[in-house]
């Protein structure tokens, strides 16, 4: 079976790896410049050296036996480590959260900077249509037609791609609204005077963490500050500078004494940060050979995205 997967996040990659284990030929398309998605790690130069921020998902936990086995394999590969500061069952990618996605992407064929805008079905199979095809998004890279297509992107984006082919599936995706998150990233040349490495539920801060204290990190003091969903929604269209300033001030309110002047400061807006999930697990239309996977089909957790991709792959392999 020749499969196209739209989205090379944890759900799409999990699906791809499982399909490949059964001999399928899988091609993934992702609009990003590289591995990460909502498990992204941003690296930036500062006067004190390069620093890194896990500005999406902060950590992951494991409950399902299959995911536990996968995590132990990733630990052996050196791409995850425990992070007790976030809890006894918290783990992070090393040296960044995107290490897990990179590890899986290295086992598959991913075409980065290939944004799929539509799907087209002919007698020969499925075709993907790309935004402004260039040398990066060449006809050869598309390699259509495909026997099956998987949509592994946030629910709002999945709904648009599914609408012309399976309205019922598209309606389920459309009903799963995601809450946004504004995230600030600050680096300092000296330690921030805050007791502990994590701040939770403090004013407009939903979560803040001393990112540089996570295992495997290097570089100057780095903090990631995520605003609450309500504040992020209210200020969704604010400028990056104003958001960074507000979250910087909110972090300062949690310090024992004035913060040092940051040597780097910016913010990132996640429009689709946390899904309102269903309990479907995965969606598969066997007649059309069209499916969808993602955390929005289970729960807003990294493990759930991985499980959704695996579940869809098993349904596809079963026919």
């Amino acid at each position: 079976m020749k499969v196209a997967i739209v989205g090379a996040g944890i759900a799409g990659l999990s699906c791809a790896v499982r399909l490949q284990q059964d001999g399928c030929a899988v091609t993934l398309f992702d609009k990003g410049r590289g591995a990460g998605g909502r498990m992204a790690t941003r690296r930036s130069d500062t006067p004190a050296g390069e620093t890194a921020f896990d500005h999406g998902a902060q950590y992951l936990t494991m409950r399902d036996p299959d995911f536990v086995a996968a995590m132990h394999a990733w630990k052996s590969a050196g791409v995850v480590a425990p992070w007790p500061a976030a809890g006894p069952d918290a783990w992070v990618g090393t040296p960044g959260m995107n290490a897990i996605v990179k590890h899986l992407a290295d086992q598959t064929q991913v075409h980065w900077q290939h944004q799929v805008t539509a799907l087209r079905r002919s007698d020969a199979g499925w075709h993907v249509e790309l935004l402004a095809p260039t040398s990066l998004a060449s006809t050869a890279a598309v390699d259509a037609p495909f026997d099956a297509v998987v949509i592994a992107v946030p629910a709002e984006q999945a709904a648009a791609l599914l609408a012309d082919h399976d309205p019922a599936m598209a309606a389920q995706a459309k009903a799963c609204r995601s809450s946004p998150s504004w995230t600030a990233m600050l680096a300092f040349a000296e330690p921030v005077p805050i007791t502990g490495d994590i701040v939770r539920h403090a004013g407009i801060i939903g979560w803040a963490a001393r990112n540089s204290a996570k295992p495997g990190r290097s570089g100057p003091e780095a903090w990631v500050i995520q605003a609450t969903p309500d504040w992020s929604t209210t200020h969704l269209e604010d400028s990056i500078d104003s958001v960074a300033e507000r979250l910087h001030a909110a972090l300062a309110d949690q310090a024992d004494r004035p913060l040092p002047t940051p040597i780097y400061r910016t913010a990132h807006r996640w429009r689709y940060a946390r899904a309102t999930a269903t309990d479907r697990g995965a969606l598969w239309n066997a007649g059309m050979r069209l499916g969808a996977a993602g955390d929005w089909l289970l729960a807003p957790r990294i493990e759930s995205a991985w499980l959704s991709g695996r579940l869809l792959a098993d349904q596809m392999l079963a026919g």
Side-chain angles (χ1 to χ4, degrees):
M1 182 164 52
K2 191 175 176 182
V3 182
I5 298 181
V6 183
I10 195 76
L13 289 166
S14 169
C15 186
V17 170
R18 177 68 188 93
L19 290 172
Q20 288 179 171
Q21 290 171 346
D22 212 65
C24 297
V26 183
T27 303
L28 296 102
F29 301 91
D30 195 283
K31 67 179 182 179
R33 290 179 293 177
R38 286 177 290 178
M39 294 176 68
T41 300
R42 180 180 296 191
R43 300 189 179 278
S44 301
D45 291 326
T46 77
E50 185 183 72
T51 190
F53 305 92
D54 297 322
H55 62 300
Q58 294 296 292
Y59 64 91
L60 64 159
T61 57
M62 51 182 176
R63 303 171 188 171
D64 181 271
D66 287 341
F67 191 64
V68 170
M71 284 283 288
H72 285 303
W74 298 342
K75 181 183 178 183
S76 297
V79 296
V80 296
W83 187 32
D89 59 346
W91 290 68
V92 295
T94 54
M97 283 300 291
N98 64 352
I100 301 168
V101 183
K102 285 184 176 180
H103 178 67
L104 295 175
D106 286 345
Q107 303 171 46
T108 61
Q109 183 184 37
V110 183
H111 295 294
W112 303 109
Q113 293 181 270
H114 283 53
Q115 182 174 351
V116 176
T117 57
L119 303 172
R120 180 170 54 85
R121 195 170 180 231
S122 70
D123 292 340
W126 286 98
H127 306 257
V128 297
E129 296 183 2
L130 302 167
L131 177 65
T134 65
S135 58
L136 282 173
S138 64
T139 303
V142 174
D143 200 22
F146 297 94
D147 301 312
V149 173
V150 168
I151 310 301
V153 296
E156 290 86 348
Q157 297 170 351
L161 292 171
L162 292 166
D164 291 339
H165 307 288
D166 190 323
M169 199 183 293
Q172 292 182 64
K174 192 173 182 180
C176 293
R177 305 296 298 175
S178 298
S179 58
S181 176
W182 266 113
T183 300
M185 293 160 272
L186 281 72
F188 303 88
E190 55 189 277
V192 165
I194 291 178
T195 303
D197 294 329
I198 295 172
V199 175
R200 291 182 171 95
H201 311 303
I204 68 170
I205 296 176
W207 165 278
R210 198 184 316 260
N211 200 87
S212 48
K214 290 181 178 179
R217 272 56 174 179
S218 61
E221 175 98 350
W223 277 81
V224 170
I225 312 153
Q226 295 179 332
T228 64
D230 287 346
W231 192 91
S232 296
T233 300
T234 301
H235 296 271
L236 189 61
E237 303 304 331
D238 287 7
S239 70
I240 287 175
D241 288 343
S242 66
V243 169
E245 183 176 355
R246 288 290 302 277
L247 291 175
H248 180 186
L251 184 69
D253 289 342
Q254 304 305 309
D256 299 329
R257 56 185 184 275
L259 298 183
T261 301
I263 56 176
Y264 178 88
R265 189 178 77 175
T266 191
H268 180 85
R269 175 177 53 203
W270 296 98
R271 287 191 180 274
Y272 311 117
R274 185 178 178 87
T276 303
T278 69
D279 59 356
R280 294 297 301 272
L283 301 176
W284 176 236
N285 183 328
M288 297 191 72
R289 314 297 290 172
L290 175 66
D295 60 352
W296 57 276
L297 288 160
L298 270 178
R301 301 171 58 234
I302 293 172
E303 178 183 38
S304 299
W306 186 89
L307 288 170
S308 178
R310 292 272 293 191
L311 178 60
L312 177 55
D314 287 339
Q315 291 176 349
M316 295 169 69
L317 293 170

